[in-house]
Every structure is written in C-alpha cells, then in structure tokens.
Amino acid sequence: MKITKMVFIALSCLLLHAGCAQDNTKTKAKKQGWHLSMQSYTFHLFTVIESLDKTRELDIPFIEIYPGQRMGKGFGEAVFGYGLDGEQRKKLKQEAAARNVTIISSGVWTAQREEWEQILTFAKEMGLEFISAEPAHEDWDVVEGLAKKYGIKVAVHNHPSEHSYWKPEVLLGCISGRDALLGACVDVGHYRRMGLDPVASMRQLDGKIIALHFKDIAPQGEEQSLEDVVWGKGILNVKGMMEELKRQNFKGYFTIEYEADWENNLPQIRQSIDYFNQVAEEIL
C-alpha cells in the first residue's frame, strides 16, 4: 500500500512538472500579449467548418475568416459574411466554441460605403475584436464613426498594389489624428513584394499595429515569384520582425496566412509555428 502510494505521488509530481514546463513555454508569448491566429484563406479550398477543424488540429485558438468562404456542412449554400441570418450566426459561434476556437476577426473586407454599417454590425454581433479591411480613402469618416459606434477595431491591410495602402505613408496619411480603433494589419510578405523592408515599415507604424498577416517568402519557380515558405527558410527576417514588435511592446495577433501547398499545408504550418515559438523563447 505504501509503495503504491509512493509511486502515485512520484507520477503526480512528474506530471505536474511536465505540465508546468509546458505552461511556461506557452506563457512567454502570452505574457508579451502575442497570439497566433489563423487566416482561413490558408484553407480556401475548404469550407469554414473544415477550416475550424484544421485550426483546432493545429492547436491554434483564434481564427480570422475571410468574407465569401463557403460555410460548409449544416449551412447549405451559405457563405461567410453579413448575409448569414441570425440562426446561422448562432450556429457558427457554436461550431467554433465546440472546437475551442474563437473567431477573433474577419477580412480582408473591401466594400461600398453603404456596406460598412452591415459589416461592422455583423462584427459586433459575432463578437469580433477587429476586422481587417481596405476602405476607400474617401470613406474614412464613415468607417471611423462606425468603428466608434460598435467598438470594433479596423486593421488596414496592405495588398501589393499602388492603389491600396501599400506603404505605411499612405495609411498614416489616412488615419493619423483619428481614433485609436483604427490601425494596421501588416502583411509582411506584401511589403517585401512592393520592394519595402518589413522591419522598417513596421517601425514607421509604431503604436498603430493591431495585427499581422505573418509569413516568410522566397523566390519560387521559373519566374522566381515570391511565394510562401516555412518561416525561417525564406528571405524575410522573421527574427528581426519579431524583435521589432517586441521593441514596440506590440500586443496582438500574428495571423498565419500560408498561401502555398494549398491541398495540405498543415506540415509547413506546424514547422512555422515551431520556428515562431523557438524565436519567441530566444528573444522574450
């Protein structure tokens, strides 16, 4: 009886120690306020429900769902967006909760002026923290007013086009002096595709970054186009970007948007997560 009790105590201590070690690994990034999230466009060949399954499989607690993605099983022909009715919205939240995944954001939204009310209302009803978006320059008074009305952050994305918010100066010219709910959703790959240094660009946006579409890229194929690769294996300075975010005391979401190996990119994403955690352990 005594031996059994001693074995039990020893095993309990070992399990407790292992649990504490695991918690410590996880809490370094958490203490810094850094959270990994998934951009569902990574799984655009699949439905929202399947994207939630994959996000859960990766043990990622947050997701950003892109407008227009097919909802999938139990939703008929519905697609994600403000067109979902009340019952569908409720069901989606239940499906996410059942997988321990929180729908933290949605985007990237581009919209007509009259749509922003519906988009922000939808974000509020879904309990989102922010949306990623690229509003027309002339719509900022409307977007700012609605962000304040509903208490939803608007994180501005930078698609690689000179007609978008492709460089920090363009975004700052639109939101400087406006409400703190307005900020940046930095796509680090797109900065590089436009010939910009992501670290220097983030430095310009100090205090304005709400979230990132985080990635690494490298020249691929005959045309040497810049495509996604496992983090740490490309031409972006992933460690340098994370160090800059640490310097800024950034608190927010590293949204994984892996735009390659579309049919099965979970192995590459897992490797990227491992690299992220390795660098976080080193610099935090």
PDB file of all heavy atoms in Angstrom, residues 2-18:
ATOM      1  N   LYS A   2       1.935   1.222   0.822  1.00  0.00           N
ATOM      2  CA  LYS A   2       2.829   2.369   0.895  1.00  0.00           C
ATOM      3  C   LYS A   2       3.567   2.566  -0.423  1.00  0.00           C
ATOM      4  O   LYS A   2       3.765   3.684  -0.875  1.00  0.00           O
ATOM      5  CB  LYS A   2       3.835   2.186   2.040  1.00  0.00           C
ATOM      6  CG  LYS A   2       3.216   2.306   3.419  1.00  0.00           C
ATOM      7  CD  LYS A   2       4.263   2.163   4.481  1.00  0.00           C
ATOM      8  CE  LYS A   2       3.660   2.324   5.866  1.00  0.00           C
ATOM      9  NZ  LYS A   2       4.667   2.155   6.932  1.00  0.00           N
ATOM     10  N   ILE A   3       3.995   1.424  -1.048  1.00  0.00           N
ATOM     11  CA  ILE A   3       4.715   1.507  -2.320  1.00  0.00           C
ATOM     12  C   ILE A   3       3.819   2.094  -3.394  1.00  0.00           C
ATOM     13  O   ILE A   3       4.217   2.966  -4.169  1.00  0.00           O
ATOM     14  CB  ILE A   3       5.219   0.114  -2.737  1.00  0.00           C
ATOM     15  CG1 ILE A   3       6.284  -0.381  -1.751  1.00  0.00           C
ATOM     16  CG2 ILE A   3       5.787   0.141  -4.156  1.00  0.00           C
ATOM     17  CD1 ILE A   3       6.736  -1.789  -2.007  1.00  0.00           C
ATOM     18  N   THR A   4       2.560   1.618  -3.433  1.00  0.00           N
ATOM     19  CA  THR A   4       1.594   2.134  -4.407  1.00  0.00           C
ATOM     20  C   THR A   4       1.394   3.630  -4.220  1.00  0.00           C
ATOM     21  O   THR A   4       1.348   4.400  -5.189  1.00  0.00           O
ATOM     22  CB  THR A   4       0.238   1.416  -4.255  1.00  0.00           C
ATOM     23  OG1 THR A   4       0.446   0.018  -4.409  1.00  0.00           O
ATOM     24  CG2 THR A   4      -0.755   1.918  -5.295  1.00  0.00           C
ATOM     25  N   LYS A   5       1.297   4.057  -2.972  1.00  0.00           N
ATOM     26  CA  LYS A   5       1.104   5.478  -2.680  1.00  0.00           C
ATOM     27  C   LYS A   5       2.313   6.286  -3.123  1.00  0.00           C
ATOM     28  O   LYS A   5       2.183   7.381  -3.691  1.00  0.00           O
ATOM     29  CB  LYS A   5       0.860   5.656  -1.181  1.00  0.00           C
ATOM     30  CG  LYS A   5       0.503   7.083  -0.790  1.00  0.00           C
ATOM     31  CD  LYS A   5       0.165   7.161   0.693  1.00  0.00           C
ATOM     32  CE  LYS A   5      -0.204   8.591   1.088  1.00  0.00           C
ATOM     33  NZ  LYS A   5      -0.502   8.692   2.533  1.00  0.00           N
ATOM     34  N   MET A   6       3.512   5.751  -2.873  1.00  0.00           N
ATOM     35  CA  MET A   6       4.736   6.458  -3.259  1.00  0.00           C
ATOM     36  C   MET A   6       4.841   6.587  -4.777  1.00  0.00           C
ATOM     37  O   MET A   6       5.238   7.624  -5.305  1.00  0.00           O
ATOM     38  CB  MET A   6       5.965   5.722  -2.701  1.00  0.00           C
ATOM     39  CG  MET A   6       6.115   5.845  -1.189  1.00  0.00           C
ATOM     40  SD  MET A   6       7.455   4.824  -0.557  1.00  0.00           S
ATOM     41  CE  MET A   6       8.845   5.645  -1.312  1.00  0.00           C
ATOM     42  N   VAL A   7       4.480   5.500  -5.485  1.00  0.00           N
ATOM     43  CA  VAL A   7       4.509   5.537  -6.949  1.00  0.00           C
ATOM     44  C   VAL A   7       3.534   6.576  -7.462  1.00  0.00           C
ATOM     45  O   VAL A   7       3.824   7.347  -8.382  1.00  0.00           O
ATOM     46  CB  VAL A   7       4.181   4.141  -7.532  1.00  0.00           C
ATOM     47  CG1 VAL A   7       3.955   4.234  -9.036  1.00  0.00           C
ATOM     48  CG2 VAL A   7       5.297   3.165  -7.223  1.00  0.00           C
ATOM     49  N   PHE A   8       2.347   6.601  -6.843  1.00  0.00           N
ATOM     50  CA  PHE A   8       1.326   7.573  -7.247  1.00  0.00           C
ATOM     51  C   PHE A   8       1.820   9.006  -7.067  1.00  0.00           C
ATOM     52  O   PHE A   8       1.657   9.868  -7.930  1.00  0.00           O
ATOM     53  CB  PHE A   8       0.050   7.345  -6.429  1.00  0.00           C
ATOM     54  CG  PHE A   8      -1.021   8.364  -6.686  1.00  0.00           C
ATOM     55  CD1 PHE A   8      -1.800   8.304  -7.844  1.00  0.00           C
ATOM     56  CD2 PHE A   8      -1.247   9.409  -5.793  1.00  0.00           C
ATOM     57  CE1 PHE A   8      -2.780   9.250  -8.092  1.00  0.00           C
ATOM     58  CE2 PHE A   8      -2.218  10.352  -6.032  1.00  0.00           C
ATOM     59  CZ  PHE A   8      -2.991  10.276  -7.185  1.00  0.00           C
ATOM     60  N   ILE A   9       2.448   9.258  -5.929  1.00  0.00           N
ATOM     61  CA  ILE A   9       2.952  10.604  -5.642  1.00  0.00           C
ATOM     62  C   ILE A   9       4.050  10.983  -6.627  1.00  0.00           C
ATOM     63  O   ILE A   9       4.102  12.099  -7.147  1.00  0.00           O
ATOM     64  CB  ILE A   9       3.481  10.685  -4.185  1.00  0.00           C
ATOM     65  CG1 ILE A   9       2.306  10.546  -3.201  1.00  0.00           C
ATOM     66  CG2 ILE A   9       4.230  11.992  -3.965  1.00  0.00           C
ATOM     67  CD1 ILE A   9       2.740  10.400  -1.751  1.00  0.00           C
ATOM     68  N   ALA A  10       4.942  10.002  -6.906  1.00  0.00           N
ATOM     69  CA  ALA A  10       6.044  10.268  -7.840  1.00  0.00           C
ATOM     70  C   ALA A  10       5.516  10.592  -9.228  1.00  0.00           C
ATOM     71  O   ALA A  10       5.977  11.535  -9.877  1.00  0.00           O
ATOM     72  CB  ALA A  10       6.979   9.062  -7.894  1.00  0.00           C
ATOM     73  N   LEU A  11       4.531   9.789  -9.685  1.00  0.00           N
ATOM     74  CA  LEU A  11       3.948  10.031 -11.006  1.00  0.00           C
ATOM     75  C   LEU A  11       3.243  11.376 -11.046  1.00  0.00           C
ATOM     76  O   LEU A  11       3.313  12.111 -12.037  1.00  0.00           O
ATOM     77  CB  LEU A  11       2.967   8.905 -11.353  1.00  0.00           C
ATOM     78  CG  LEU A  11       3.588   7.560 -11.738  1.00  0.00           C
ATOM     79  CD1 LEU A  11       2.516   6.486 -11.862  1.00  0.00           C
ATOM     80  CD2 LEU A  11       4.355   7.695 -13.057  1.00  0.00           C
ATOM     81  N   SER A  12       2.555  11.707  -9.969  1.00  0.00           N
ATOM     82  CA  SER A  12       1.852  13.004  -9.899  1.00  0.00           C
ATOM     83  C   SER A  12       2.830  14.152 -10.003  1.00  0.00           C
ATOM     84  O   SER A  12       2.576  15.150 -10.696  1.00  0.00           O
ATOM     85  CB  SER A  12       1.061  13.097  -8.587  1.00  0.00           C
ATOM     86  OG  SER A  12       0.064  12.096  -8.533  1.00  0.00           O
ATOM     87  N   CYS A  13       3.962  14.021  -9.324  1.00  0.00           N
ATOM     88  CA  CYS A  13       4.973  15.083  -9.373  1.00  0.00           C
ATOM     89  C   CYS A  13       5.545  15.249 -10.779  1.00  0.00           C
ATOM     90  O   CYS A  13       5.756  16.365 -11.255  1.00  0.00           O
ATOM     91  CB  CYS A  13       6.101  14.790  -8.382  1.00  0.00           C
ATOM     92  SG  CYS A  13       5.584  14.972  -6.661  1.00  0.00           S
ATOM     93  N   LEU A  14       5.806  14.086 -11.422  1.00  0.00           N
ATOM     94  CA  LEU A  14       6.336  14.132 -12.783  1.00  0.00           C
ATOM     95  C   LEU A  14       5.361  14.806 -13.729  1.00  0.00           C
ATOM     96  O   LEU A  14       5.728  15.643 -14.551  1.00  0.00           O
ATOM     97  CB  LEU A  14       6.645  12.711 -13.278  1.00  0.00           C
ATOM     98  CG  LEU A  14       7.906  12.054 -12.717  1.00  0.00           C
ATOM     99  CD1 LEU A  14       7.955  10.586 -13.101  1.00  0.00           C
ATOM    100  CD2 LEU A  14       9.153  12.787 -13.227  1.00  0.00           C
ATOM    101  N   LEU A  15       4.074  14.441 -13.618  1.00  0.00           N
ATOM    102  CA  LEU A  15       3.044  15.038 -14.491  1.00  0.00           C
ATOM    103  C   LEU A  15       2.898  16.521 -14.214  1.00  0.00           C
ATOM    104  O   LEU A  15       2.744  17.333 -15.118  1.00  0.00           O
ATOM    105  CB  LEU A  15       1.711  14.316 -14.284  1.00  0.00           C
ATOM    106  CG  LEU A  15       1.643  12.885 -14.834  1.00  0.00           C
ATOM    107  CD1 LEU A  15       0.355  12.192 -14.371  1.00  0.00           C
ATOM    108  CD2 LEU A  15       1.705  12.911 -16.356  1.00  0.00           C
ATOM    109  N   LEU A  16       2.939  16.891 -12.919  1.00  0.00           N
ATOM    110  CA  LEU A  16       2.833  18.297 -12.552  1.00  0.00           C
ATOM    111  C   LEU A  16       4.001  19.088 -13.098  1.00  0.00           C
ATOM    112  O   LEU A  16       3.843  20.184 -13.641  1.00  0.00           O
ATOM    113  CB  LEU A  16       2.774  18.433 -11.025  1.00  0.00           C
ATOM    114  CG  LEU A  16       2.631  19.859 -10.465  1.00  0.00           C
ATOM    115  CD1 LEU A  16       1.323  20.480 -10.947  1.00  0.00           C
ATOM    116  CD2 LEU A  16       2.685  19.835  -8.937  1.00  0.00           C
ATOM    117  N   HIS A  17       5.206  18.512 -13.004  1.00  0.00           N
ATOM    118  CA  HIS A  17       6.406  19.184 -13.518  1.00  0.00           C
ATOM    119  C   HIS A  17       6.308  19.368 -15.026  1.00  0.00           C
ATOM    120  O   HIS A  17       6.617  20.436 -15.559  1.00  0.00           O
ATOM    121  CB  HIS A  17       7.645  18.364 -13.166  1.00  0.00           C
ATOM    122  CG  HIS A  17       8.911  18.934 -13.742  1.00  0.00           C
ATOM    123  ND1 HIS A  17       9.538  20.046 -13.213  1.00  0.00           N
ATOM    124  CD2 HIS A  17       9.660  18.550 -14.807  1.00  0.00           C
ATOM    125  CE1 HIS A  17      10.619  20.318 -13.922  1.00  0.00           C
ATOM    126  NE2 HIS A  17      10.707  19.414 -14.906  1.00  0.00           N
ATOM    127  N   ALA A  18       5.855  18.320 -15.715  1.00  0.00           N
ATOM    128  CA  ALA A  18       5.713  18.398 -17.174  1.00  0.00           C
ATOM    129  C   ALA A  18       4.697  19.444 -17.559  1.00  0.00           C
ATOM    130  O   ALA A  18       4.893  20.217 -18.499  1.00  0.00           O
ATOM    131  CB  ALA A  18       5.306  17.030 -17.732  1.00  0.00           C
TER     132      ALA A  18
END
